[in-house]
C-alpha cells in the first residue's frame, strides 16, 4: 500500500464472519427482471464480514454482506439483535451490501428475484451473529490508511468517457505483525459473472478479496461498495458464459 498513514491514539477492533449462503434453488437477484434465475450450485460462499471498532470508549460496527442490496427493515432487524446482544447502539451499526448480482433477493424488487421468506427470517440473525462474534474478538490494533490509483478496472456504462472511480481506498488493522482485518472502498459494479451464472458467488469483490485473505490467513475482509450505478467492469458483457 503506497504511503500508508498510521492513526494515533488507542483503537481496539474485533472481526468475525458468518456464512449467509442460501439454500439452492432460490431465485437470484440481478441482471434483469422476471428472469427466474435459480441457483443450482455454489461457486463461492456468500458471507457477512463484520468489524466492531472501539474508539474513545464508544463502540461502532460495520458489516458487509455479499448480497445485491439491503432494506431499511432488514437493517433495523440486524441492529435490534446486535443491540440486544452487545449493547452497541443501533445508530452505531452500519449494514452494507457488496451488490453481487448472483445472490439472494433481500429487498422486495418487483421481478428482480423472488424473496424466500424462510431464508429471510433467518438472515438477520446470521448477520447480527457475525457482529456479536466480532465484539468478542476485540483487541488492540494499529490502523493504517492508504490509497492507490487503479486503472483499467471500471468503465462508465452510461456515458463513454464519463466519470469512474480512479482510486482504491484501504484501511488495514494490525495486531502486532498480524493483519487481522481490512476494509476496501471502491466503486465498480459487482458483475464479472453474467446472467448465465446459476451459482451463488460474491463475484468480483468477493473473489478478488479472497485472494488477499489467502495470503493473510485469519484476516477478515470488508468491501464497502461505492457509487457503482454507472460503472461496470471493463469488458463486461451480458450473456457472457460463466
Amino acid at each position: 500500500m503506497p504511503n500508508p498513514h498510521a492513526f494515533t491514539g488507542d483503537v481496539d477492533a474485533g472481526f468475525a464472519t458468518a456464512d449467509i449462503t442460501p439454500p439452492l434453488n432460490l431465485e437470484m437477484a440481478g441482471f434483469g427482471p422476471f428472469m427466474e434465475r435459480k441457483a443450482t450450485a455454489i461457486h463461492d460462499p456468500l458471507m457477512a464480514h463484520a468489524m466492531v471498532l472501539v474508539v474513545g470508549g464508544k463502540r461502532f460496527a460495520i458489516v458487509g454482506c455479499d448480497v445485491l442490496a439491503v432494506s431499511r427493515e432488514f437493517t433495523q432487524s440486524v441492529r435490534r439483535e446486535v443491540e440486544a446482544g452487545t449493547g452497541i447502539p443501533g445508530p452505531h451499526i452500519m449494514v452494507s451490501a457488496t451488490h453481487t448480482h448472483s445472490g439472494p433477493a433481500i429487498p422486495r424488487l418487483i421481478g428482480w428475484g423472488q424473496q424466500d421468506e424462510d431464508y429471510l427470517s433467518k438472515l438477520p440473525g446470521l448477520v447480527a451473529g457475525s457482529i456479536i462474534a466480532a465484539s468478542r474478538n476485540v483487541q488492540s490494533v494499529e490502523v493504517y490508511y492508504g490509497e492507490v490509483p487503479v486503472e483499467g478496472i471500471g468503465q462508465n456504462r452510461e456515458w463513454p468517457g464519463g466519470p469512474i472511480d480512479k482510486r482504491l481506498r484501504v484501511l488495514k488493522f494490525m495486531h502486532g505483525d498480524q493483519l487481522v482485518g481490512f476494509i476496501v472502498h471502491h466503486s465498480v459494479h459487482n458483475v464479472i459473472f453474467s446472467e448465465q451464472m446459476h451459482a451463488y458467488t460474491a463475484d468480483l469483490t468477493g473473489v478478488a478479496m479472497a485472494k488477499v485473505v489467502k495470503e493473510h490467513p485469519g484476516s477478515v475482509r470488508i468491501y464497502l461498495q461505492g457509487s457503482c450505478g454507472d460503472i461496470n467492469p471493463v469488458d463486461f458483457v451480458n450473456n457472457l458464459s460463466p
Side-chain angles (χ1 to χ4, degrees), residues 135-191:
S135 72
R136 299 179 183 135
N137 296 332
V138 168
Q139 59 188 340
S140 62
V141 294
E142 291 184 335
V143 187
Y144 297 84
Y145 175 78
E147 296 184 1
V148 62
V150 288
E151 300 291 342
I153 292 180
Q155 63 182 359
N156 195 300
R157 66 180 186 175
E158 302 294 339
W159 308 98
I164 59 173
D165 193 350
K166 297 182 179 181
R167 301 191 71 81
L168 185 144
R169 295 153 288 277
V170 179
L171 279 170
K172 77 173 181 179
F173 299 82
M174 302 291 296
H175 179 71
D177 60 357
Q178 181 182 5
L179 176 66
V180 292
F182 60 100
I183 300 175
V184 174
H185 177 262
H186 184 66
S187 303
V188 63
H189 239 91
N190 209 356
V191 290

Side-chain angles (χ1 to χ4, degrees), residues 98-139:
T98 62
H99 199 56
T100 176
H101 284 37
S102 294
I106 307 302
R108 184 174 181 271
L109 303 172
I110 296 175
W112 292 75
Q114 180 66 41
Q115 293 173 307
D116 183 84
E117 295 304 327
D118 183 58
Y119 173 70
L120 289 182
S121 69
K122 300 172 183 175
L123 185 57
L126 294 174
V127 173
S130 69
I131 300 175
I132 294 170
S135 72
R136 299 179 183 135
N137 296 332
V138 168
Q139 59 188 340

Side-chain angles (χ1 to χ4, degrees), residues 47-60:
M47 305 292 292
H49 302 89
M51 175 188 74
V52 169
L53 187 68
V54 184
V55 181
K58 295 183 178 181
R59 292 184 297 166
F60 307 87

